[in-house]
Amino acid sequence: MRNSRTKEFATILAEPRDLLTPSEVRAFFERFAAARNSPSGLCYTGASMDRRGAKLSIVEAFLCLWVIAAQIWYLLQFGPLVTFFAARFFHKS
Amino acid sequence: MTAWHTLGLCTAMAVSVLLLCGAGATLLRLLKATKVSAFDTFLFSAATGTILLELAVSAGELAPNIRSGVRIAVLITALLGFPGVRTMFALLQQLFLKLLALRRTERLLAALFVLVLTLQGLASLAPLTGSDALHYHFTMQALYLADGFRAPWSLLHGFFCGLSHQLILAGLALGSGQLAQGWLFFGGALGALATLRLVQLWTGGVWPWLAALAFTLTPVAFWQTTAAGAPDIWMSAFLPLCLLAILQARITSSSTFIVLAGVLAGAIAGTKYTGIIFAAALLVGFLAAFRSAGYSSLAKSWLFLVCATVVGIWPYLRNWLWTGDPVFPFLFSRIHHAGPLVNGTALTSILLDTGTSHTFSLWALLKFPLFAAVDQSQLGAWQLLGPLVLVFGPFAIWQFRKNAEGQTVLMVWILSALGIGATSAMSRFLLPLLPVALAASIAGLALATRERWRLLRALSLLTLGGFIFAGFGAMAVYSRAAWSAVAGHTTAEDYLSANSPDYQRSEFVNREVERLGQPGRALIFFHHLYYVRVPFFNGDPEDSWEMNPPLLNSSAAWASFFARRQIRWLLKSPEYPRALAASLARLENDGVLRPCASGEVESFSGNRSKGNRVREQITLYCVQPSGKTPK
């Protein structure tokens, strides 16, 4: 989290190309401070992550399991076919 | 085939596609359907231009000289395309600028997408090797051009030909089957672009590109886009575009987009008999979309229905006029399931082949919306629609269940999938739905993980990346022989000998019948007929109405058949069909059939994808005139 925050801060600082006026500098720091205090992290980038997302919830764990299990189940359906093509490919090469 | 030949084909393809899109753009301008984005205008133009060509060719094939009629139809469409070419250039320029403005990762994915489409386009230009294409998609159109537009009783699968087969007819009438193959590829490419556009309805960034790549690299999709030579792939473009038109019509409530949606639904229904299911689901989706928007939907649904009927009715009207059954032989088999003139062998075989006589299972049916139905009894690569809809489909249902646009999409997706499962139980018939299902699934995943579940998002991206990587590898392995042929490294002859089923049998019969140099037809029993250049009659009792085993049970019946159809030769390669073997062996013993030529050819044993080749004996028999038959 800390690294990503540092990166975001660096992005803010890197944004202005011209010399900033004092009010613009103040606005930047206010924006950063607001982002730090925001319950949902650096939300102004639109690509931020909910702080709850930092922890692995039971729902997420279940969904991850689903993603893996469904693929394995699907591939097992094609087991003989996949084995056949793999064997043929390696036999040829 | 040389690299210069390929380059010429690519140029012809590019010009013809530009004119098709131009014709579509002209039509859209006439319909006043112009207030949409550049991308939408391009997609709708390409689809409507193609439909226009299909309808024009349908009219052209009724001309006394079918070849001239079809050529005139193509010319008229091309002329209509000229006024729209400038619009197309402007649109393409806008799209190119948008591509340049993409972020780095998106630009990388866009470049990969263009690369994949280019590789698939090249593979599609290799000489035709797809099994169904060699059996009837291309053969039927070649027969129309050679013998005239008449009921295909000697190739019953010809009754399945629909609107998109007119692209093949047009290509062959212009003298290039490969141009027709290029147009079929364009259908697949348009389907991929429509997938991208559908995802953009809900989310942006990398997701639309990932969905489009996943579609193009799904094994069934790249098989149909490249080597299959099957016009069904056009449904994969028409269906998502019809949904986009419905959603656009819902927003604007304008008749223009209702007409466009109806035209696209009609094109889907006209492409293949399974298209009726998709068109019906689209009508339900249309009604639901308008009801949720609070519009009165009766007049609008009539407009939708009338446009769909006008565009899609031709293949059904043709079959009805020829057989009395618009969906021959499905209704016919229920009404006339027995009788002396009914070829029960052919009917049973077709019903089995199309899956209409499958055993019904509720559990198997429920797997269809998630693209998870796998028929273990006929396991083959043609069922590989990928696990992505199964894995991410639930996210789409969860995310879109309360959203009016999403509900329309879900309704069309689920109803169509259940319809296909209930009527045919063949998962590969779900391909037209894949753009919609993939787009909704991936967009659902993107929305569900937008602000949470980083690990799940990462795992899902890994899954998508893995699928795209594996798909690219599979495409490379599958298409490398085709690329070698289009690059001129392999001759067309060598490529076809190695990859096209029944090619050596076809070459044998071509060579020997031409050598004998007499009028008449050859009766042949093998499946892939496209490369037979000499006049022939299909002898397969499972696909030729007159080859009815109970009727062809005596020498007199055979003699009458030979005389009626001017059969002068008969090819045995290596055996006769089981149902006719006894009576034909009797003709050999009686001296009615005398060997004229024999040899050895190489052929595939079983399914081509298994790659088992065998050498077999092949014999051409001369049919003795009945007066010379020894007693």
Side-chain angles (χ1 to χ4, degrees):
Chain A
M1 275 309 268
R2 192 177 170 171
N3 278 344
S4 73
R5 286 238 174 115
T6 312
K7 211 180 278 177
E8 293 293 340
F9 186 43
T11 310
I12 295 169
L13 292 180
E15 270 179 12
R17 301 238 165 98
D18 302 315
L19 208 57
L20 298 174
T21 62
S23 61
E24 281 172 331
V25 172
R26 191 170 61 244
F28 261 111
F29 279 100
E30 279 172 0
R31 201 169 136 201
F32 181 60
R36 279 187 69 182
N37 297 329
S38 156
S40 57
L42 297 165
C43 58
Y44 66 91
T45 63
S48 64
M49 200 56 65
D50 194 315
R51 276 186 181 162
R52 282 171 297 172
K55 291 176 191 168
L56 186 67
S57 68
I58 292 173
V59 178
E60 186 179 10
F62 170 77
L63 289 172
C64 287
L65 270 178
W66 161 255
V67 168
I68 294 166
Q71 286 180 75
I72 292 172
W73 179 82
Y74 185 86
L75 277 178
L76 284 177
Q77 300 278 302
F78 285 98
L81 194 72
V82 173
T83 313
F84 170 79
F85 281 121
R88 199 176 133 198
F89 177 73
F90 287 114
H91 176 69
K92 271 192 175 176
S93 54
Chain B
M1 194 169 185
T2 62
W4 285 110
H5 183 200
T6 304
L7 201 65
L9 268 173
C10 289
T11 311
M13 254 285 288
V15 171
S16 60
V17 163
L18 195 66
L19 286 173
L20 275 180
C21 295
T26 309
L27 263 186
L28 289 183
R29 206 169 44 238
L30 290 174
L31 278 171
K32 294 177 183 164
T34 47
K35 287 178 185 168
V36 283
S37 70
F39 193 23
D40 284 352
T41 310
F42 170 75
L43 293 174
F44 288 138
S45 300
T48 44
T50 307
I51 295 167
L52 185 71
L53 176 65
E54 291 174 0
L55 293 176
V57 172
S58 299
E61 74 183 345
L62 298 175
N65 182 335
I66 182 169
R67 194 177 293 269
S68 304
V70 172
R71 282 177 178 172
I72 291 168
V74 174
L75 184 69
I76 291 170
T77 313
L79 287 175
L80 259 173
F82 275 111
V85 166
R86 188 179 287 184
T87 314
M88 287 320 298
F89 274 123
L91 287 176
L92 288 174
Q93 193 182 9
Q94 282 183 48
L95 292 175
F96 186 68
L97 289 175
K98 275 192 177 173
L99 275 179
L100 288 181
L102 289 175
R103 280 185 230 157
R104 200 172 151 217
T105 321
E106 291 162 42
R107 210 185 300 167
L108 202 70
L109 288 171
L112 181 61
F113 179 64
V114 172
L115 173 73
V116 169
L117 286 186
T118 309
L119 290 173
Q120 292 189 354
L122 286 174
S124 74
L125 297 178
L128 193 68
T129 56
S131 178
D132 280 355
L134 296 175
H135 179 52
Y136 76 101
H137 293 313
F138 275 66
T139 307
M140 195 61 251
Q141 315 314 315
L143 284 174
Y144 282 149
L145 289 173
D147 302 338
F149 184 59
R150 57 185 67 158
W153 291 107
S154 65
L155 186 57
L156 295 175
H157 272 77
F159 286 107
F160 295 156
C161 290
L163 271 186
S164 293
H165 284 84
Q166 309 301 35
L167 298 177
I168 300 174
L169 184 61
L172 293 179
L174 293 178
S176 174
Q178 281 158 309
L179 188 59
Q181 288 166 241
W183 289 338
L184 299 185
F185 154 76
F186 183 50
L190 201 63
L193 290 169
T195 310
L196 184 120
R197 180 65 189 92
L198 263 186
V199 182
Q200 285 177 340
L201 282 180
W202 299 295
T203 187
V206 296
W207 299 103
W209 297 103
L210 288 173
L213 274 167
F215 173 75
T216 49
L217 292 169
T218 295
V220 177
F222 71 66
W223 162 56
Q224 293 261 317
T225 306
T226 58
D232 307 13
I233 189 71
W234 267 98
M235 287 198 283
S236 301
F238 293 147
L239 203 148
L241 291 179
C242 182
L243 258 175
L244 281 173
I246 289 174
L247 297 178
Q248 193 69 38
R250 181 181 175 273
I251 296 166
T252 58
S253 183
S254 80
S255 305
T256 301
F257 284 99
I258 297 172
V259 170
L260 188 59
V263 165
L264 287 161
I268 297 163
T271 298
K272 191 179 180 157
Y273 57 93
T274 50
I276 299 173
I277 294 165
F278 297 123
L282 284 163
L283 176 63
V284 175
F286 174 86
L287 291 171
F290 273 77
R291 182 159 294 183
S292 69
Y295 299 126
S296 158
S297 56
L298 190 65
K300 293 180 195 306
S301 45
W302 269 113
L303 185 60
F304 178 94
L305 202 61
V306 167
C307 292
T309 309
V310 168
V311 171
I313 199 166
W314 169 236
Y316 303 101
L317 186 66
R318 176 202 65 197
N319 282 1
W320 179 69
L321 290 171
W322 278 345
T323 69
D325 174 4
V327 285
F328 184 84
F330 301 120
L331 294 180
F332 185 91
S333 62
R334 292 183 192 280
I335 302 163
H336 308 283
H337 49 82
L341 297 176
V342 172
N343 186 339
T345 312
L347 285 184
T348 310
S349 167
I350 288 180
L351 294 183
L352 269 175
D353 185 42
T354 52
T356 40
S357 55
H358 69 283
T359 46
F360 187 83
S361 144
L362 188 64
W363 173 235
L365 179 66
L366 292 176
K367 290 181 192 169
F368 269 78
L370 291 175
F371 288 55
V374 180
D375 182 0
Q376 293 290 342
S377 65
Q378 298 177 45
L379 201 58
W382 56 86
Q383 293 190 62
L384 272 168
L385 286 156
L388 297 180
V389 178
L390 169 70
V391 175
F392 303 128
F395 291 102
I397 296 167
W398 175 38
Q399 286 293 315
F400 300 135
R401 69 192 192 283
K402 288 179 184 168
N403 159 303
E405 284 181 352
Q407 281 172 354
T408 306
V409 172
L410 287 177
M411 201 174 283
V412 172
W413 165 12
I414 293 169
L415 281 179
S416 301
L418 289 176
I420 290 292
T423 53
S424 77
M426 294 180 89
S427 52
R428 76 184 165 94
F429 288 169
L430 290 173
L431 181 64
L433 267 184
L434 189 63
V436 175
L438 257 184
S441 302
I442 290 175
L445 167 78
L447 295 177
T449 60
R450 190 169 46 183
E451 291 178 354
R452 61 189 156 182
W453 299 338
R454 273 190 303 179
L455 183 66
L456 177 65
R457 193 176 175 97
L459 184 65
S460 304
L461 282 170
L462 195 69
T463 298
L464 278 166
F467 181 80
I468 289 168
F469 180 75
F472 193 92
M475 181 189 74
V477 170
Y478 183 71
S479 301
R480 67 189 191 285
W483 293 329
S484 177
V486 293
H489 295 151
T490 312
T491 63
E493 187 72 20
D494 288 348
Y495 173 72
L496 289 171
S497 279
N499 297 287
S500 174
D502 292 331
Y503 181 72
Q504 294 193 17
R505 289 170 172 165
S506 305
E507 282 304 276
F508 176 85
V509 73
N510 289 336
R511 191 174 56 243
E512 294 304 328
V513 168
E514 277 169 4
R515 183 178 62 80
L516 292 166
Q518 292 164 345
R521 290 166 192 268
L523 182 65
I524 51 186
F525 300 104
F526 57 79
H527 193 69
H528 305 97
L529 305 163
Y530 181 59
Y531 289 114
V532 181
R533 290 189 307 272
V534 294
F536 69 92
F537 193 90
N538 179 20
D540 182 0
E542 295 188 344
D543 204 26
S544 185
W545 196 255
E546 281 183 72
M547 305 308 294
N548 193 352
L551 296 183
L552 290 171
N553 57 359
S554 68
S555 298
W558 276 108
S560 159
F561 167 72
F562 290 151
R564 198 168 60 247
R565 293 293 169 197
Q566 298 98 44
I567 305 295
R568 193 147 192 162
W569 302 278
L570 185 145
L571 189 77
K572 185 180 183 183
S573 55
E575 300 298 335
Y576 295 125
R578 194 178 299 166
L580 300 172
S583 60
L584 285 169
R586 209 162 46 239
L587 292 186
E588 278 185 42
N589 292 335
D590 292 348
V592 176
L593 301 177
R594 294 252 177 100
C596 291
S598 65
E600 226 179 39
V601 292
E602 205 174 73
S603 184
F604 287 103
S605 165
N607 198 295
R608 180 172 61 124
S609 59
K610 291 189 175 166
N612 297 329
R613 296 181 70 89
V614 288
R615 288 201 73 77
E616 63 183 32
Q617 189 68 27
I618 188 165
T619 311
L620 185 74
Y621 287 91
C622 289
V623 177
Q624 301 303 307
S626 50
K628 292 183 188 172
T629 309
K631 300 276 177 185

